[in-house]
Amino acid sequence: MRPEQLRLRIRETLAEQRRLVASLLRLREQLHGSLFVRYGQCGKAGCACQSEGRRHGPYYVLSTRSAGKGSFSYLDAPAARGARQQVARYRAFRSGLKGLQRVNASLVDLLRRYQQARLRATVRRLGLPAVKNP
């Protein structure tokens, strides 16, 4: 590929990188964990959960890990909605980071190829013997 074409691809990749970083910065408020809903059954003989099969709940449980230890927290419905959004942001952030890693690897490759193409063009212009790829 010619140096001019590589420069264009580098600019496009840099623009993509900037877009990804901006989208990641919008996901700053996040929560690393899982949120699930639990229904319970009590031990009272006359309770509807025993005779009719209706369970108590829903109970919203937030599962998190810190320093290698897991913990559970029970949340009310409004807090669970907020936590669900923050957990979704964390997952989107992780996915965005993987995309950014791919873009960065592509950018490094394009820059290396551009540098080699420019070197070949300079060698040709000066009439020197061709440089072998490292």
Side-chain angles (χ1 to χ4, degrees):
M1 193 178 288
R2 297 178 56 213
E4 298 80 24
Q5 294 170 315
L6 285 168
R7 281 175 61 133
L8 180 61
R9 295 227 3 235
I10 288 169
R11 286 184 179 160
E12 291 168 352
T13 305
L14 283 169
E16 183 180 358
Q17 183 188 50
R18 280 191 297 274
R19 282 190 300 272
L20 275 169
V21 168
S23 71
L24 288 173
L25 288 174
R26 285 190 291 274
L27 298 170
R28 277 184 261 187
E29 189 176 327
Q30 53 186 273
L31 183 60
H32 183 177
S34 298
L35 185 68
F36 59 94
V37 180
R38 186 180 154 280
Y39 291 86
Q41 187 174 0
C42 69
K44 297 178 186 173
C47 186
C49 71
Q50 297 291 328
S51 60
E52 299 173 19
R54 289 187 294 167
R55 296 186 176 248
H56 298 283
Y59 300 110
Y60 301 98
V61 183
L62 177 66
S63 169
T64 58
R65 291 190 76 74
S66 178
K69 295 185 180 192
S71 68
F72 294 99
S73 302
Y74 286 88
L75 306 174
D76 59 5
R81 281 192 292 278
R84 186 174 287 121
Q85 291 172 351
Q86 289 182 352
V87 167
R89 279 193 215 112
Y90 174 76
R91 290 185 179 148
F93 184 80
R94 297 292 298 184
S95 176
L97 278 181
K98 288 179 184 176
L100 184 60
Q101 286 175 329
R102 284 191 297 274
V103 167
N104 286 342
S106 173
L107 186 59
V108 167
D109 181 57
L110 284 169
L111 289 169
R112 182 187 49 75
R113 289 171 48 199
Y114 177 73
Q115 183 180 29
Q116 290 172 350
R118 293 299 302 164
L119 179 61
R120 282 192 302 271
T122 301
V123 165
R124 271 194 309 268
R125 192 174 67 237
L126 295 174
L128 299 172
V131 177
K132 295 181 181 178
N133 287 338

